[in-house]
Amino acid sequence: MSTSAKDNDYKQLYESAINKVEQLQHELNQLKKMIFGVRQERFIPADKNQLALDIPTEQSAAVCNVLDAKKVTYVKVVKQDATQRRDSSHTIPSHLRREDVIIDPDHIPAGSKHIGTTETEVLEYKPAEIYVVRYIRNKYLLPSADETSSKIIVGTLPTLPVTKSMMGPGLLAQLVVEKICDHLPVHRQQQRLERDGIKLPYSTLSDGFAKTAALITPIYRALVTEVLNADYLQADETSVPVLDKDKKGSTHRGYYWLYQDSINKLLVFDYQPGRGREGPAEMLKDFYGTLQTDAYSAYNSIVDTNNITLIHCLAHARRYFSDAIYSDRERAEYVLEQLQLVYQIERDSRALNHDNEKRAASRQKQSLPILKKLGSWMEDQYKQVLPQSPIGKALAYSIKRWDKLCAFVYDGKLHPDNNAAERSIRATVIGRKNYLFAGSHESAKRIAMLYSLIGTCKLHNINPSLWLKDVLTVINDHPINRIKELLPHIWITKQK
């Protein structure tokens, strides 16, 4: 073997070893971050005044256009009531019932004159009360009839949510809200009731949960229709373990697919047994508009056949650089600083209450030049790094999708990222840590439906217990052609 051939082999071994060391170091840093690191994603640079990357020697030419870039200054407008909110953060709400306790001094000398009071308010609590509603229906014998005749009238029993059940709408609503909002499995709810001296079988509680879900299924279908009528959706998915009779001793990995209309604050969860394209293809078959995702490949073929405009999430791209900061701090910090400028423009726009038109104009004037220069810089830098290194993977991810990552600048209603959908999907992640798994595929579908309706309540600051109790009280007598009126965001308008 010639000397040059040996040198090439040694060079390849050396580069392979360096790449392996960087990969292992990256994995170690990621593990440390998961165990000890801060969970927030906001990037805080070591030098807040340094917005340019200083790479020595041969790499300096690749960044000279960025170093010469014009400095951009942004002004953040603080809302007037921000200070008031901070000062009143511990104020006791005025709508709570007040119970007055009058206290006089231990000794009041004769002739003392009352000049006022000093008030101290303390929040107090008493456990929620479970009580019995007893419907006593009076019976009357009609005139000119004897006791043996059939001419007897009796008061009409109100329609109950679940016939032949001892659980009323308030208790059924509480069972659902405790499981979906507070993530309490049914057996913990059973234990909580037993502490109050109420012993209900597990089967009774789970049956009440299932029948409640069946009752509000038409409302869920109306919500799906409402969401798919939007022209801009965000999508995400997460796994859920499901007991499967065909897999004894193990669980099946199912998936909750989320579709969120962040403009109108509506969301829908759809359970599917797998993560393939079949689920979103069926759900989105009648959707026309813009779909924002995390670049999961299952959406690609769907958008092509359905004529959907696909855009991607800038926060996902940013995370790759955040993860790469330990292996190539200079390049990663530079990208994070540039993206931080873009997000500052978004915050300023929100503070100024820009409408969609003004927001799009602001983005094209300020954000677009930053993103264009950043995209060109990424392509130059990618030629100088190892493709399999953390920074190489981060650059490759963004370069491949750069047009879809920057698409939000042209439309003011679009968000730069999928963070709103990720916040909504977080409830399912917390839930599965508590109840561990869904009992069946049908159970997973019920839970997905309830996550949809309760999640929409949360987005509109609606107390889900009040909404669900009212809905269960009227659902059996409500006309099916007016079922849309019971959707949380429409229901709340009728309560005011």
Side-chain angles (χ1 to χ4, degrees):
M1 182 180 294
S2 65
T3 304
S4 60
K6 287 184 178 180
D7 290 342
N8 288 333
D9 289 343
Y10 288 139
K11 184 179 179 181
Q12 291 178 359
L13 287 172
Y14 174 76
E15 290 179 351
S16 176
I18 292 296
N19 188 33
K20 186 65 175 178
V21 170
E22 286 187 353
Q23 181 181 352
L24 292 174
Q25 184 63 48
H26 176 66
E27 292 176 359
L28 177 61
N29 290 330
Q30 290 299 104
L31 288 172
K32 286 182 177 179
K33 183 179 178 181
M34 290 173 61
I35 299 172
F36 307 111
V38 180
R39 297 294 180 182
Q40 70 176 7
E41 290 189 351
R42 179 171 292 184
F43 169 67
I44 302 175
D47 182 0
K48 295 182 180 180
N49 297 318
Q50 182 179 348
L51 295 179
L53 178 62
D54 184 16
I55 300 178
T57 62
E58 71 274 10
Q59 296 176 352
S60 59
V63 297
C64 63
N65 60 333
V66 178
L67 295 176
D68 296 334
K70 183 186 295 184
K71 182 179 179 182
V72 184
T73 304
Y74 305 99
V75 179
K76 183 174 182 179
V77 179
V78 181
K79 293 183 179 179
Q80 293 181 352
D81 60 344
T83 305
Q84 296 175 358
R85 285 201 306 270
R86 286 195 296 269
D87 294 340
S88 62
S89 59
H90 300 294
T91 301
I92 298 177
S94 60
H95 70 274
L96 296 179
R97 177 178 64 86
R98 258 64 176 176
E99 182 179 295
D100 294 335
V101 179
I102 309 300
I103 303 174
D104 280 328
D106 294 336
H107 175 66
I108 306 176
S112 298
K113 182 179 180 181
H114 183 266
I115 59 172
T117 61
T118 299
E119 295 184 2
T120 302
E121 291 193 334
V122 177
L123 278 173
E124 192 51 273
Y125 173 82
K126 70 177 181 181
E129 179 186 12
I130 298 181
Y131 60 96
V132 177
V133 175
R134 185 168 53 186
Y135 295 101
I136 302 174
R137 295 183 288 161
N138 291 321
K139 297 192 295 184
Y140 292 89
L141 180 66
L142 296 179
S144 68
D146 55 42
E147 295 182 359
T148 60
S149 70
S150 59
K151 295 182 178 180
I152 298 174
I153 58 174
V154 62
T156 303
L157 183 68
T159 304
L160 298 175
V162 181
T163 57
K164 298 181 181 179
S165 172
M166 67 175 68
M167 292 186 287
L171 181 56
L172 290 171
Q174 189 64 20
L175 292 177
V176 170
V177 170
E178 285 186 351
K179 180 166 184 177
I180 302 301
C181 285
D182 305 323
H183 317 293
L184 283 180
V186 174
H187 75 274
R188 290 190 199 164
Q189 298 184 57
Q190 183 185 26
Q191 294 169 355
R192 182 183 61 77
L193 291 170
E194 285 183 358
R195 288 199 299 270
D196 293 328
I198 302 166
K199 294 185 178 181
L200 292 176
Y202 180 92
S203 58
T204 299
L205 295 175
S206 58
D207 186 58
F209 184 89
K211 288 182 177 178
T212 299
L215 275 173
I216 61 177
T217 297
I219 307 177
Y220 170 73
R221 291 172 181 158
L223 180 61
V224 172
T225 301
E226 192 91 345
V227 169
L228 295 179
N229 282 337
D231 60 358
Y232 168 46
L233 292 181
Q234 296 177 323
D236 202 356
E237 72 286 332
T238 188
S239 62
V240 56
V242 181
L243 290 182
D244 191 333
K245 60 183 180 181
D246 297 329
K247 290 188 174 183
K248 296 188 181 296
S250 63
T251 57
H252 172 84
R253 175 175 285 186
Y255 284 87
Y256 290 133
W257 295 77
L258 169 68
Y259 307 92
Q260 179 159 329
D261 175 4
S262 295
I263 305 298
N264 298 306
K265 299 181 179 179
L266 305 174
L267 61 88
V268 161
F269 282 94
D270 176 48
Y271 171 75
Q272 293 292 329
R275 202 186 178 200
R277 64 178 299 276
E278 297 80 12
E282 176 64 24
M283 178 64 76
L284 299 172
K285 64 182 180 181
D286 296 323
F287 170 70
Y288 299 99
T290 301
L291 181 68
Q292 188 169 34
T293 72
D294 58 0
Y296 177 43
S297 59
Y299 298 102
N300 294 337
S301 58
I302 299 171
V303 300
D304 292 337
T305 55
N306 291 26
N307 196 26
I308 295 173
T309 301
L310 182 66
I311 66 173
H312 291 324
C313 170
L314 198 61
H316 277 80
R318 183 177 60 183
R319 285 172 201 156
Y320 279 89
F321 291 99
S322 181
D323 293 342
I325 201 167
Y326 298 104
S327 62
D328 195 328
R329 178 170 293 275
E330 288 183 312
R331 287 188 175 89
E333 279 196 353
Y334 175 73
V335 175
L336 294 174
E337 286 168 353
Q338 297 304 301
L339 294 180
Q340 190 176 53
L341 290 177
V342 173
Y343 274 93
Q344 183 59 53
I345 295 168
E346 294 297 306
R347 287 190 288 271
D348 293 343
S349 185
R350 285 195 299 270
L352 293 169
N353 293 320
H354 280 168
D355 58 19
N356 290 341
E357 185 177 349
K358 289 183 178 179
R359 185 178 295 110
S362 173
R363 288 172 174 174
Q364 291 173 43
K365 180 181 179 180
Q366 301 180 75
S367 300
L368 188 57
I370 297 172
L371 292 171
K372 281 185 174 179
K373 291 180 180 179
L374 182 58
S376 299
W377 178 87
M378 286 183 179
E379 292 181 357
D380 291 337
Q381 294 302 304
Y382 186 65
K383 302 171 185 176
Q384 305 173 31
V385 300
L386 293 174
Q388 294 304 311
S389 65
I391 193 66
K393 291 179 179 179
L395 290 168
Y397 179 92
S398 292
I399 291 169
K400 184 179 179 181
R401 302 167 176 85
W402 196 240
D403 289 342
K404 291 183 173 62
L405 289 170
C406 301
F408 73 95
V409 300
Y410 299 102
D411 190 339
K413 75 173 180 290
L414 304 179
H415 294 278
D417 53 49
N418 244 13
N419 287 351
E422 289 189 350
R423 285 192 295 271
S424 296
I425 213 166
R426 196 174 298 157
T428 66
V429 178
I430 299 173
R432 72 172 178 240
K433 289 182 179 179
N434 284 268
Y435 53 70
L436 301 180
F437 52 80
S440 65
H441 293 291
E442 288 302 316
S443 176
K445 289 180 181 179
R446 288 195 294 267
I447 293 174
M449 179 179 66
L450 293 168
Y451 272 132
S452 305
L453 293 163
I454 298 299
T456 299
C457 284
K458 289 181 179 179
L459 292 178
H460 288 271
N461 296 318
I462 297 172
N463 185 331
S465 296
L466 297 180
W467 169 77
L468 187 52
K469 180 181 178 181
D470 187 63
V471 164
L472 292 176
T473 302
V474 302
I475 186 69
N476 282 325
D477 298 321
H478 197 83
I480 191 64
N481 61 345
R482 290 167 44 201
I483 201 69
K484 185 177 175 181
E485 296 174 0
L486 300 182
L487 288 171
H489 63 293
I490 299 177
W491 171 87
I492 192 62
T493 60
K494 299 181 181 298
Q495 308 303 310
K496 296 179 180 179

